């Protein structure tokens, strides 16, 4: 199975005719959330959460501006010529307790996919892997320090992570010790190239194996380590058309490589008397220590060669039904199924509690699959809720889906929204006259479309990595609009510190009556200016829709004194977008000057 990596995919690939699947069966969900849409997720056979990377574990990453072409920008919902930052994975994964909800979220949007987590081989990775198994992942990938992209910083390539053998051995032993190994598959990668590598990985505990560098070499990569410069001489890691024309790799090259590899594996297995890979998983008793001299002879490798566990305890043998418990979405889908089949609009009302998590995602996934299965338009689904929603309310919402909540919501509202509308407002019987906290942290993380209206305040990291959604909220905590690359955020109230850190594009309008907002922005990433002609209409339209859906008293008061209210609004302008605009103007002037000459 090929892996999409972090960059998303061209949705046009999903419409290709014929039985062949011209897209990746494994689709990655990483900290940048690039290209993660409801359709992308629904097309996967496996969804892999990347919280660590083999060549730069935990650091995040960055695609230089000159590599963000129009094609790349379209897939990643960004702007050509602006750098794309993958923040370190601490925005919605602080701990195992945060990873488990993400695994749950992905299961709702695509119940058919297996969910895996990519970890880096480091001391202590076994303990983390045990938590991942308890979080109900289907597989765990232990990625070694070797391999990885040549675009990583040299210090990361040379000094991050440890060999996969160490991480895999520790993970296998820890999972066996805690009775968890039978629940998950183990996978490993990081410079695996030979039949000996594969069988040794199996004996250390892996059932599956990842190949990157070796396969790239088979299609022509010459390891020039110029990936980040956009000058790949063999046309693989580059967006330049002239260099891509040099690419000579073929599918037959890859087939020949794997034929050669598997022939060698079979020969070694015959020597060992093994008929299947499964027979060798966790069989450390088949490994021995080489008799070498020098400093290597002083290494104590006994910790890698623990006594093999019972056959049923050293590899995945249990099948777990992750969908045994009925959810609120299941009940809603059962009620609206006739209307969906007839392509008719439908409205339902339900009570919601904090134990109801990721409400709306399974409905969004179902709508996405139905739309792919038939060209007949699927009409609107509207769900009204009353109560307190659990985490990820409205996650992965799609066009045609409207969710309203009279009450409050926990963290991650609108995570990965693709379209539709989500509105949350206080109970109508409440006596609130000023905006109160109504939703939690990390709202609209990685959203690519849709509208969100919150008649109250949200927590930290509002609209982090938003790249297309439009939102109105009445106050946010620290780090608002962090790493934002698109969309519109209207903040009708106070903000926390560090607003706009890493923001490269998109629009933020902030209502600042006290006049303190200028002290709260990240001055390295964004600048402030007052509204210009034409922007008033866009802003007012969003606030009016906010009032229509939520009945917000605060927003009504702003509209009632609109001329005066306008004087209190700031527009947040990303410095990167200003620099790009200046470059484009300079280039245009140069062209005009050349024509004049």
């Amino acid at each position: 199975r090929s892996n999409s990596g972090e960059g998303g995919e061209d949705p046009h690939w999903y419409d290709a005719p014929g039985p062949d699947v011209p897209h990746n069966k494994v689709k990655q969900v990483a900290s940048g959330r690039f290209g993660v849409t409801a359709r992308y997720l629904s097309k996967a056979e496996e969804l892999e959460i990347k919280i660590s990377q083999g060549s730069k574990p935990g650091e995040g990453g960055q695609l230089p501006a000159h590599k963000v072409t129009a094609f790349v920008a379209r897939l990643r919902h960004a702007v050509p010529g602006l750098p794309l930052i993958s923040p370190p994975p601490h925005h919605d994964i602080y701990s195992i307790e945060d990873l488990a909800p993400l695994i749950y979220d992905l299961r709702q949007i695509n119940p058919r996919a297996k969910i895996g987590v990519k970890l880096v081989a480091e001391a202590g990775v076994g303990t983390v892997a045990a938590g991942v198994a308890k979080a109900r992942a289907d597989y765990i990938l232990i990625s070694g320090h070797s391999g990885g992209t040549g675009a990583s910083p040299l210090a990361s390539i040379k000094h991050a992570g440890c060999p996969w053998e160490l991480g895999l051995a520790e993970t296998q032993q820890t999972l066996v010790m805690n009775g968890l190994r039978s629940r998950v598959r183990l996978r490993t990668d990081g410079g695996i190239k030979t039949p000996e590598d594969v069988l040794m990985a199996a004996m250390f505990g892996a059932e599956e194996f990842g190949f990157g560098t070796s396969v790239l070499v088979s299609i022509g990569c010459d390891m020039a380590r110029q990936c980040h410069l956009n000058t790949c001489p063999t046309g693989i890691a580059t967006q330049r058309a002239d260099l891509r024309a040099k690419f000579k790799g073929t599918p037959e090259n890859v087939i020949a490589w794997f034929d050669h590899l598997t022939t060698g594996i079979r020969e070694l297995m015959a020597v060992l008397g093994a008929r299947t890979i499964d027979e060798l998983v966790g069989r450390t008793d088949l490994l021995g220590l080489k008799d070498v001299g020098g400093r290597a002879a002083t290494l104590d490798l006994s910790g890698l060669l623990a006594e093999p566990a019972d056959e049923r305890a050293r590899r995945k043998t249990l099948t777990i039904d992750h969908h045994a418990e009925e959810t609120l979405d299941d009940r809603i889908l059962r009620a609206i199924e006739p209307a969906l089949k007839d392509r008719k609009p439908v409205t339902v009302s339900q009570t919601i509690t904090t134990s109801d998590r990721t409400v709306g995602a399974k409905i969004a996934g179902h709508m996405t699959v139905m739309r792919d299965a038939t060209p007949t338009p699927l009409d609107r689904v509207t769900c009204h809720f009353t109560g307190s929603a659990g985490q990820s309310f409205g996650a992965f919402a799609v066009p045609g889906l409207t969710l309203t909540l009279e009450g409050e919501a926990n963290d991650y509202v609108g995570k990965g929204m693709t379209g539709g509308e989500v509105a949350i407002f206080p109970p109508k019987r409440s006596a609130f006259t000023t905006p109160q906290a109504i939703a939690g942290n990390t709202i609209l993380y990685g959203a690519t479309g849709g509208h969100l209206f919150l008649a109250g305040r949200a927590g930290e990291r509002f609209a982090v990595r938003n790249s297309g959604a439009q939102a109105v909220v009445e106050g946010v905590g620290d780090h608002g609009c962090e790493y934002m690359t698109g969309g519109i955020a209207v903040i009708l109230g106070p903000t926390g510190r560090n607003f706009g850190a890493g923001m490269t594009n998109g629009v933020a309008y902030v209502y600042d009556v006290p006049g303190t907002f200028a002290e709260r922005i990240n001055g390295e990433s964004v600048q402030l200016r007052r509204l210009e002609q034409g922007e008033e209409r866009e802003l007012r339209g969003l606030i009016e829709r906010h009032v229509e859906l939520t009945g917000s008293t605060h927003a009504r008061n702003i509209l009632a004194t609109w001329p005066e209210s306008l004087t209190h609004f700031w527009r947040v302008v990303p410095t990167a977008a200003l620099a790009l605009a200046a470059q484009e103007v300079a280039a245009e002037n140069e062209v005009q000057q050349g024509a004049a000459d």
Side-chain angles (χ1 to χ4, degrees):
R1 296 180 289 278
S2 61
N3 192 314
S4 70
E6 189 180 349
E9 289 181 328
D10 190 342
H12 294 140
W13 297 344
Y14 305 145
D15 301 321
D20 288 337
V21 180
H23 57 89
N24 298 283
K25 293 186 176 184
V26 186
K27 303 194 194 300
Q28 219 169 61
V29 178
S31 60
R33 297 295 193 273
F34 293 122
V36 176
T37 64
R39 195 177 185 206
Y40 169 86
L41 296 173
S42 69
K43 288 290 184 178
E45 291 186 13
E46 289 185 355
L47 290 168
E48 184 172 288
I49 300 167
K50 182 169 74 168
I51 61 173
S52 295
Q53 295 146 282
S55 62
K56 48 180 185 301
E59 295 180 9
Q62 182 170 349
L63 193 65
H66 64 269
K67 296 197 74 174
V68 184
T69 62
F71 174 72
V72 171
R74 177 168 62 83
L75 302 195
R76 295 191 170 198
H77 301 269
V79 176
L82 289 181
L84 290 177
I85 301 169
S86 298
H90 60 254
H91 297 291
D92 65 342
I93 306 176
Y94 293 85
S95 64
I96 295 300
E97 285 77 11
D98 293 307
L99 179 64
L102 179 54
I103 293 174
Y104 184 86
D105 294 342
L106 297 179
R107 282 201 201 288
Q108 302 314 300
I109 183 68
N110 185 346
R112 304 163 301 282
K114 300 295 184 183
I115 312 296
V117 177
K118 181 178 182 178
L119 303 175
V120 69
E122 286 272 18
V125 68
T127 302
V128 179
V132 171
K134 292 177 182 178
R136 302 177 74 90
D138 293 298
Y139 74 87
I140 299 170
L141 168 58
I142 303 298
S143 189
H145 72 309
S146 184
T149 171
S152 300
L154 188 62
S156 298
I157 293 174
K158 299 298 183 183
H159 303 293
C162 68
W164 58 260
E165 293 92 339
L166 297 177
L168 180 59
E170 180 184 333
T171 298
Q172 172 77 359
Q173 293 173 32
T174 303
L175 293 178
V176 168
M177 189 186 311
N178 289 277
L180 298 168
R181 181 61 181 89
S182 59
R183 295 171 48 167
V184 294
R185 304 198 315 270
L186 269 189
R187 186 178 298 177
T188 194
D189 68 19
I192 293 179
K193 301 179 179 70
T194 66
E196 289 84 356
D197 290 338
V198 173
L199 293 188
M200 189 159 60
M203 293 172 193
F204 277 129
E207 289 138 310
E208 300 176 349
F209 320 93
F211 303 88
T213 302
S214 49
V215 178
L216 279 175
V217 170
S218 76
I219 58 173
C221 173
D222 62 3
M223 304 291 286
R225 294 288 182 186
Q226 297 170 197
C227 311
H228 62 300
L229 299 176
N230 207 23
T231 56
C232 175
T234 55
I236 296 174
T238 178
Q239 280 70 49
R240 281 177 46 183
D242 58 327
L243 294 177
R244 289 166 66 90
K246 298 177 181 292
F247 178 61
K248 303 299 182 184
T250 66
E252 288 72 23
N253 296 147
V254 179
I255 293 169
W257 151 247
F258 277 114
D259 277 344
H260 178 74
L261 179 72
T262 51
T263 298
I265 291 173
R266 290 190 188 98
E267 292 172 352
L268 283 178
M269 288 173 62
V271 173
L272 294 167
R275 291 182 177 272
T276 66
I277 289 285
D278 282 348
E279 296 174 35
L280 299 176
V281 174
R283 289 289 306 277
T284 49
D285 57 310
L286 298 177
L287 290 169
L289 302 178
K290 289 183 178 180
D291 185 12
V292 295
R295 295 174 61 192
T298 65
L299 290 174
D300 179 7
L301 301 179
S302 59
L304 299 178
L305 306 178
E307 187 72 21
D310 177 77
E311 183 178 357
R312 292 189 60 81
R314 66 174 179 253
R315 61 185 178 88
K316 180 174 171 59
T317 53
L318 296 180
T319 300
I320 300 173
D321 183 2
H322 299 291
H323 302 282
E325 185 176 345
E326 187 179 57
T327 66
L328 180 55
D329 272 14
D330 289 328
R331 296 194 293 273
I332 293 173
L333 280 171
R334 190 165 58 246
I336 68 175
E337 187 67 28
L340 289 179
K341 285 184 177 179
D342 294 338
R343 302 304 197 265
K344 294 179 179 178
V346 60
T347 300
V348 294
S349 298
Q350 290 279 346
T351 300
I352 194 170
T353 69
T354 53
S355 63
D356 296 316
R357 297 179 290 155
T358 323
V359 170
K362 189 171 285 189
I363 300 170
H366 191 74
M367 293 172 69
T368 301
V369 172
M370 289 187 71
R371 284 168 171 160
D372 272 346
T374 173
T376 306
L378 185 64
D379 218 316
R380 178 168 296 279
V381 175
T382 303
C383 303
H384 300 299
F385 299 97
T386 305
S388 298
Q391 292 179 339
S392 302
F393 179 78
F396 310 118
V398 295
L401 178 61
T402 297
L403 305 176
T404 67
L405 170 60
E406 183 180 347
E408 59 190 355
N410 213 304
D411 296 342
Y412 312 139
V413 173
K415 175 192 293 186
M417 275 187 75
T418 305
E421 287 184 319
V422 174
I424 305 176
F425 47 90
K428 294 177 181 177
R429 64 181 182 275
S430 67
F432 295 146
T433 56
T434 57
Q436 305 294 311
I438 201 168
N441 300 316
T442 324
I443 289 171
L444 285 180
Y445 190 7
T448 58
H451 292 79
L452 172 69
F453 302 97
L454 301 180
R457 296 182 182 180
E460 295 184 3
R461 293 198 159 90
F462 180 85
V464 58
R465 271 294 299 131
N466 175 36
S467 59
Q470 299 184 15
V472 181
V473 62
E474 298 177 1
V476 299
D478 295 344
H479 317 296
C481 298
E482 192 174 26
Y483 297 110
M484 190 162 145
T485 62
I488 302 172
V490 179
I491 320 293
L492 301 180
T495 73
R497 60 187 176 84
N498 200 35
F499 190 95
M503 182 179 178
T504 55
N505 202 50
V507 177
Y509 298 109
V510 179
Y511 185 61
D512 177 34
V513 175
T516 58
F517 179 57
E519 304 167 5
R520 298 176 177 270
I521 66 170
N522 183 296
E524 295 182 1
S525 299
V526 297
Q527 301 175 22
L528 299 182
R529 65 166 173 79
R530 294 299 184 182
L531 270 59
E532 296 178 350
Q533 189 174 5
E535 295 172 347
E536 172 193 347
R537 182 181 301 175
E538 175 182 66
L539 174 61
R540 184 176 182 119
L542 284 170
I543 298 176
E544 288 175 344
R545 181 60 175 163
H546 177 65
V547 170
E548 181 182 346
L549 285 178
T550 69
S552 168
T553 302
H554 177 60
R556 285 185 194 276
N557 293 336
I558 291 175
L559 291 175
T561 57
W562 187 243
E564 180 186 351
S565 297
L566 276 178
T567 64
H568 297 300
F569 274 100
W570 292 103
R571 173 164 174 159
V572 181
V573 183
T575 304
L578 286 175
L580 180 63
Q583 291 175 12
E584 291 174 346
V585 170
E588 179 64 25
N589 290 340
E590 187 175 337
V591 169
Q592 293 178 358
Q593 184 62 45
D597 293 342

